[in-house]
Amino acid sequence: MSTALSLDALHRAKGRGVLFVTGGGSGALGQLLTVPGASRTVLDAQVPYSAGALAELLGRPPEQAASASTARNLAMVAFQRARKLDGEAGFGLGATAALATERAKAGDHRIHVALQTPGTSYLWSLTFEKGVRSRGEEEAVSEALILHALFIAKRLTQEAPSLPLGVADVLTTDHVAGEPAWQGLLLGSAAVVPQGPPLSPEAALLPGAFNPVHEGHRAMARLAAERLDRPVAYELSVFNVDKPPLNYADLRDRLSAFGPEEAVVLTHAPRFTDKAELFPRRTFVVGADTILRVGDVRYYGDSRGARDAALTRLGERNVQFLVFGRLREDRFETLADLNLPPALTQLCDGLSEAEFRSDLSSTALRRALLNP
């Protein structure tokens, strides 16, 4: 079957979405749009090629541009935009590549293609054999992989074109079906989904991204339980103020790092005002860096009025914060070192450096994995 005929079948199948492609493979967009009926597949398509454009789309610069994580985040941002443009939209696709150029590259030539649907998170990661193909030839394979993913998005598995892979090319795939409760969080029909042991109605909550969870988090949970004389559960919000929502692979990976005895609650509560509405009269266990953000007007659109209104809401919901010290710019800071608004200070209690100190950082751990 010719490419045009294949794409005609693709367009006739149900499902529309948004595509974000960077670094390579953007020719797939041209192929899609030159075949009649493309509006039945494409709601929007963008090529955020520069570092600035990519950072703006994702909300912050990625730790590595051509990575599986960045492709997944692009797919999730695309999926959220698709849902905004069409509430029945079926998918978001993100692709990021580092292909052959006029200069030799130290790293692999590769492309990562991610697909987010209401029920599944997909990933294809292809590493090319270096020095075998020209840039144009690597582009052609990358385009084929993106189109292949679109056939999967439209549930045309049998019709998906085969990929022109070489014997030394390495293609890995990861397809994670979201549990129904996870889908509810992503699509907005659920706000709280407990995982693991039952959540005690008196439990304090330790919010975080847990990417990854580490001994510093667990030390905070143990000490908070002793200090407060109540259990502590971990709270992981699927949505974040300045990052793309978590996909189902993220949830699988982060939850798998917790032990069977550790209570985790998934939420759709990116802000502490949201958390307070879901969990009034609770204590939130946080680091000094987090409580600084709660009191910083920059996180409220530089509006002191909005910040003060949010703090008033926290007080009205009778929440408290137990603040642990954090290493910030080579200085370990505790609650006593912070300059917080009075309305926030009265909601806080803290531990001294003698009671707790941990310099572990999830960000540093991730960077160590990227640069061993």
Side-chain angles (χ1 to χ4, degrees), residues 146-159:
I146 291 170
L147 296 176
H148 179 91
L150 287 175
F151 275 81
I152 303 302
K154 291 204 171 191
R155 302 182 180 182
L156 298 173
T157 305
Q158 299 300 319
E159 293 87 346

Side-chain angles (χ1 to χ4, degrees), residues 110 169 240 323-324 351:
R110 61 198 184 276
D169 295 332
N240 190 285
V323 182
F324 284 70
L351 279 74

Side-chain angles (χ1 to χ4, degrees), residues 132-144:
V132 173
R133 295 183 178 88
S134 66
R135 171 62 182 241
E137 290 168 335
E138 289 186 354
E139 286 278 1
V141 179
S142 298
E143 293 165 14

Side-chain angles (χ1 to χ4, degrees), residues 174-324:
D174 184 28
H175 301 167
V176 183
E179 297 180 9
W182 297 0
Q183 295 179 37
L185 284 170
L186 182 61
L187 300 178
S189 61
V192 178
V193 176
Q195 305 282 297
L199 181 66
S200 165
E202 297 182 351
L205 296 171
L206 197 168
F210 308 117
N211 184 27
V213 63
H214 54 68
E215 184 52 36
H217 296 128
R218 293 190 165 99
M220 290 172 65
R222 288 194 300 269
L223 288 170
E226 295 172 5
R227 177 77 163 253
L228 300 169
D229 192 25
R230 66 187 62 185
V232 175
Y234 299 93
E235 185 258 340
L236 173 61
S237 177
V238 171
F239 284 76
N240 190 285
V241 173
D242 56 359
K243 300 177 185 176
L246 301 181
N247 59 68
Y248 302 137
D250 289 332
L251 291 176
R252 174 201 62 191
D253 295 344
R254 297 186 197 187
L255 289 172
S256 69
F258 289 97
E261 76 289 353
E262 294 179 306
V264 182
V265 57
L266 302 178
T267 70
H268 186 152
R271 298 174 176 83
F272 275 97
T273 48
D274 302 320
K275 302 180 198 300
E277 293 299 321
L278 294 175
F279 304 105
R281 298 177 297 280
R282 300 286 187 117
T283 296
F284 292 99
V285 180
V286 299
D289 56 336
T290 297
I291 205 66
L292 274 173
R293 290 195 294 272
V294 174
D296 193 335
V297 296
R298 290 179 297 175
Y299 291 89
Y300 302 87
D302 287 320
S303 170
R304 185 178 297 273
R307 192 273 311 275
D308 292 346
L311 298 183
T312 297
R313 287 175 61 192
L314 294 176
E316 291 172 347
R317 305 308 286 167
N318 296 309
V319 302
Q320 299 287 318
F321 295 95
L322 182 60
V323 182
F324 284 70

